[in-house]
Each structure stands twice: as C-alpha cells, then as structure tokens.
Amino acid sequence: MFKGRKKELELLEDLYDSKQFEFLVLYGRRRVGKTELLKEFTKNKKPLFFSAQEKNDSLNLLDFSKTVQTYFDNDFFGEFSDWETALKYVTSKATEDRLVIVIDEFPYIASENKSIKSIFQHTIDHQWKEKNIFLVLCGSSVSFMEGEVLGSKSPLYGRSTAHLELKAFDYFDSALFFPEYSNEEKLMAYGILGGIPCYLQAFDSEKPIEKNIAREILREGRFLKDEPIYFLKQELREPAIYNSIFEAIAGGASRVNEIATKIHEDTQKCSKYLGILQTISLIKKAVPCGEDEASRKTIYKIADNYFSFWYHFLFEKKSFYEILGSEESAKEIMDPQSFFSYFGFVFETICLEYMIRMAKNRKLPFIPSKYGKWWGNNPARKCQDDIDVLLIDDKNEKYIFCECKFKGESFGKSEMEDMLSRKSIFAHAKETYFYAFSKSGFSDYVKENASSNNITLVTVDDLFEFGEL
C-alpha cells in the first residue's frame, strides 16, 4: 500500500487540474519512491508513461515509438525516424482533454542523445505550450536533473513550471510502515533503515526488530545485505573511494583532512567526492548552528541512516557475522549497550525533525531561521562543549536548547543542570527555552523543576502526538 507523500500528491494534482501547459521536473536519489509516487498519482488517470532504460538511443526511441503508438492507436506501425518526429506525432494526437506525459529516467535518454534537451525545448516552445499537456521529466541523477535540466545553461532552463526533489521520509512518516510496532520500536527501525521507502518495506512490523535484522539484512540473498556497496557501484564511477570515505566517517573521521588522511587521498580530491555524495543525500556537511557555511569547524556525517547503520555494524564485521550466523549476529547488534551507543546520534536527528515539525505547526515559541547541532567552547565551563539541537530566531535573540537522551536511565538532575548551563554560551540571548527529550522518562526532580526553568519535557510517545503536516 502506498504511504505518505501527501503534499507531493497535492502538488501533482494541482498541476494536473491546471487549465494550461505544465512541466514538472521530478528527481531524487535511487529508491526514494519517485516511480511509485507517479503511479499513485496516475492510478485513476490515463497517462502516457514511458520509462527509459540504460541502452542506446536507437533502442530507447524504438521503445518510445511502441509506447506512444500503442497508447494512441492501440497498434505499433514502426519506429519513428527520430525524436522530433516522435514528439510531433504526440502533438498531433493531443486533444482538448488533459494529457499526462511521464518520461521516467530521462537521464538515460539524455546521456545517449546530447540533443534531446534541445528537441524537448523546441517542442515545448512551438507545439506544447498552448496544449492541454502536463509533462513530467523524472530522473534519479540529482546532479544531472539540477544541472542539465533545471540549470541556467540547459536548453530547458525556464521551461519547467514546477520542480520537486523527492526526499527520504523523516521519522514520523517512516513510522507509517510499522503499524504493529511501539513508538520506541518505530524510532529504532527508522534508525536502522532510514527514510527510503524501499528499505522500510523490507521490515515486517509483526516480527521483532532483531528478527527482521537477521532475516532481511544479515541473511544471504536479501537485497539489503550488501545494498550500500551495490548502490555505490551503480551510481558512482569510483565506488572503492566512496566506500573508503564511508568507512572513514563511520570510524570517527569527520573533517576533510581526517578523512583524506584515512583514505590516503589528496584533501582537494576528497572534498570533491564528499560534494558528490552530498548531492545524492548520502553525506551531509555540518557547521555549528548559527555559524557561517565556510566555518573552520565544518564536519561531515553520513546522512542516510541505513548507510550509517551498515558501515557502523556490518562493514568491518561482515566475515565474522557470516561465521556467527544471522540470528546470533542480530542479537549482538541489538545488545542495548552497543545499539544505544549508535542510536544516540540518530536520536538527535529525530529530535531535530520533531522540532521542525513543531515549528511548521506553529507550536514552538518562535519560528527558527537556523537550527542544528552546535559545538565549540563553553566559557562558563571553560571546555569544549556541544548542544544536541539548537534553534535560533532570525534576529539571534531567541534560542531553544535541546538535550536528547536515548538510554536506559531516566533524564535526571545532572542532565538538566548541564542543559541549563549551556545558555551561558549565548549570554546575549533575550529569550531562552529548553526541550528535554528522553527515551526512559524523567526523574521526579526534573518533573518538579521543569516548568520553573522553562523546560518542555518530551517523551518518545510525545514525538508522535501531532498529525500529518
């Protein structure tokens, strides 16, 4: 069953209901659910749907010829001589009724035919602009779609009437895939699989997480077992280097020079590869919240939860786990001490996603313009310190400090005092607020003193108490 994507479907329906030509550029990393979104949108319509493949231009043109002729005439009378002729045929068949044309995996065509973008541009300008047509060009190559389709140097620049980068689900929408799990288990499943629908569908919420790990991740033959390696091989030209970058970051390297040293590559070259991984949302660049993007404190993290989980637990121990067996290996991975240590960083991301949802629902004291993790010097404690999640208003006057704890003990007095002490880092703040997140609840002391210290207490169940945006 199709899940989530409410706003994305609303956008598609709005474009469909338009009485004029519309051109949507839809893109996002592989397996993020672009094709499923288009299928859901068109399930009660009659789209001209063509999915290009990794083959030469002549064969894709032949497939397109068969698709459009069968669509309009319920017959195939022969391959068109070129793409211009094929698109003119589509124009000749367009009526006053709304025609949806979906070209999936457009980069496969464009990589083999350098003139295809100009052909579509000419067709749009001279044939389709006055037609009742809704065109969708879809692709998994984010850099190609942004640069070669939407970019200012592209022949198609300025022709699209809308564009949409399909992102991975956050923790809240990912939970839709696990109706039988407790809220804590939903968070843990998200921490393992991330927000890619194809990954989320692999787990059966009627089975314990440990069993799902053994069956769907560790068992030979399951697609998740070596998915990160296969993904890198399919999407990138030098998978070995990218694989080494993930290994280095999972092993604790976070700055460019640290990563470059670990993988024995030049720093400039390493920066280039990190940039490419950012475009496909596998790596994220981070600076302390409120600081400039060019900050010297810049670090890099693995953005995709499944890649983070896989490189953290499976990469180095792959051979050991194969000997140990899937059941015992899953048990070792899910040992609370080991798993909670990994999950602490994921929990911070979940808490930030919660705060963003709260802001969109107008349930925070102010609308933040900057948000994320902060790290640096704490003058009051005279040491390096960090803030799990920090949110700042557009005037740098209002601050929300968040402390996120995913562990077996309740959030106690010492954690509360640590959190409160961090407001001295931003002594100029005119208003300060605090949010404490805890897997295991809060001590009586914290509960009794929260209100007087402007602290909002958030449990795991609270993370799911508001509806869809």
Side-chain angles (χ1 to χ4, degrees), residues 54-97:
E54 282 189 282
K55 47 187 171 183
N56 66 38
D57 186 56
S58 178
L59 291 176
N60 267 319
L61 178 58
L62 173 61
D63 290 345
F64 186 75
S65 302
K66 290 177 181 177
T67 299
V68 297
Q69 290 169 24
T70 303
Y71 178 84
F72 289 113
D73 294 321
N74 202 28
D75 192 14
F76 173 56
F77 50 80
E79 180 182 358
F80 292 115
S81 58
D82 50 45
W83 285 95
E84 292 97 326
T85 305
L87 297 184
K88 281 180 182 177
Y89 170 80
V90 173
T91 305
S92 70
K93 293 291 185 178
T95 65
E96 292 183 0
D97 295 330

Side-chain angles (χ1 to χ4, degrees), residues 24-25 38 75 81 91 100 125 149 152 225 233 251 291 297 307 358 380 391:
L24 171 68
V25 178
L38 291 170
D75 192 14
S81 58
T91 305
V100 181
D125 289 351
V149 178
S152 59
K225 186 175 189 295
K233 285 180 178 177
E291 293 198 12
K297 298 176 185 176
F307 273 68
M358 289 287 283
L391 302 98

Side-chain angles (χ1 to χ4, degrees), residues 141-422:
S141 174
V142 175
S143 58
F144 179 91
M145 298 300 283
E146 289 184 338
E148 300 296 322
V149 178
L150 293 170
S152 59
K153 294 182 180 179
S154 169
L156 289 167
Y157 178 71
R159 271 69 184 181
S160 66
T161 57
H163 64 272
L164 172 64
E165 181 181 2
L166 202 61
K167 301 277 193 177
F169 288 131
D170 69 359
Y171 81 92
F172 190 87
D173 284 337
S174 294
L176 298 170
F177 290 80
F178 311 114
E180 304 304 320
Y181 278 171
S182 68
N183 287 334
E184 183 178 319
E185 289 171 325
K186 289 173 182 177
L187 296 184
M188 291 167 72
Y190 174 66
I192 294 166
L193 299 168
I196 299 299
C198 186
Y199 300 170
L200 294 164
Q201 288 171 342
F203 272 23
D204 179 355
S205 65
E206 293 185 354
K207 294 183 175 66
I209 290 177
E210 189 177 300
K211 291 287 185 185
N212 275 310
I213 292 174
R215 177 181 172 84
E216 302 299 337
I217 294 177
L218 297 170
R219 183 182 286 186
E220 198 66 47
R222 294 298 190 182
F223 90 94
L224 282 175
K225 186 175 189 295
D226 293 305
E227 165 66 4
I229 299 295
Y230 288 133
F231 185 97
L232 296 178
K233 285 180 178 177
Q234 290 179 9
E235 297 296 311
L236 303 164
R237 290 181 182 177
E238 298 177 271
I241 294 179
Y242 293 105
N243 187 48
S244 299
I245 289 173
F246 281 109
E247 181 185 8
I249 296 175
S254 59
R255 301 182 187 275
V256 175
N257 60 335
E258 294 172 349
I259 298 167
T261 299
K262 273 205 169 187
I263 68 172
H264 305 290
E265 291 287 353
D266 177 76
T267 301
Q268 193 171 356
K269 188 176 181 181
C270 187
S271 294
K272 174 189 170 185
Y273 289 124
L274 286 166
I276 292 170
L277 289 171
Q278 283 178 260
T279 64
I280 53 177
S281 303
L282 292 180
I283 294 289
K284 60 183 173 184
K285 176 183 176 182
V287 298
C289 179
E291 293 198 12
D292 189 86
E293 283 296 308
S295 170
R296 286 181 151 188
K297 298 176 185 176
T298 296
I299 62 172
Y300 292 88
K301 301 177 181 179
I302 300 176
D304 181 277
N305 284 351
Y306 187 64
F307 273 68
S308 182
F309 171 84
W310 194 88
Y311 280 95
H312 184 92
F313 286 105
L314 275 66
F315 184 72
E316 286 189 351
K317 286 191 161 186
K318 186 178 178 183
S319 299
F320 172 68
Y321 285 155
E322 286 175 355
I323 295 172
L324 188 62
S326 60
E327 301 291 336
E328 289 298 316
S329 299
K331 190 176 292 185
E332 179 175 295
I333 289 169
M334 289 305 295
D335 175 75
Q337 186 173 354
S338 172
F339 188 80
F340 287 1
S341 174
Y342 157 77
F343 194 80
F345 297 103
V346 178
F347 191 54
E348 291 176 9
T349 302
I350 290 170
C351 296
L352 175 57
E353 291 173 356
Y354 168 81
M355 295 299 281
I356 291 170
R357 280 184 168 265
M358 289 287 283
K360 288 179 178 179
N361 277 290
R362 303 298 187 267
K363 291 184 178 180
L364 293 183
F366 59 86
I367 302 298
S369 66
K370 297 177 281 288
Y371 44 83
K373 191 177 180 70
W374 180 92
W375 59 95
N377 182 55
N378 186 331
R381 302 172 77 177
K382 296 181 180 178
C383 65
Q384 290 296 300
D385 207 347
D386 66 82
I387 300 168
D388 293 341
V389 176
L390 178 66
L391 302 98
I392 310 171
D393 78 328
D394 59 349
K395 296 180 180 178
N396 292 326
E397 294 178 348
K398 301 175 183 179
Y399 288 73
I400 298 176
F401 301 82
C402 302
E403 190 80 4
C404 315
K405 299 296 181 186
F406 196 89
K407 58 181 186 177
E409 301 82 36
S410 62
F411 192 105
K413 179 181 178 182
S414 62
E415 283 99 349
M416 188 184 90
E417 290 174 344
D418 282 347
M419 179 174 64
L420 293 172
S421 74
R422 292 187 175 103

Side-chain angles (χ1 to χ4, degrees), residues 4-15:
R5 306 296 190 199
K6 181 180 176 182
K7 284 191 173 295
E8 291 86 347
L9 285 170
E10 286 176 356
L11 171 63
L12 287 163
E13 290 293 346
D14 285 346
L15 294 171

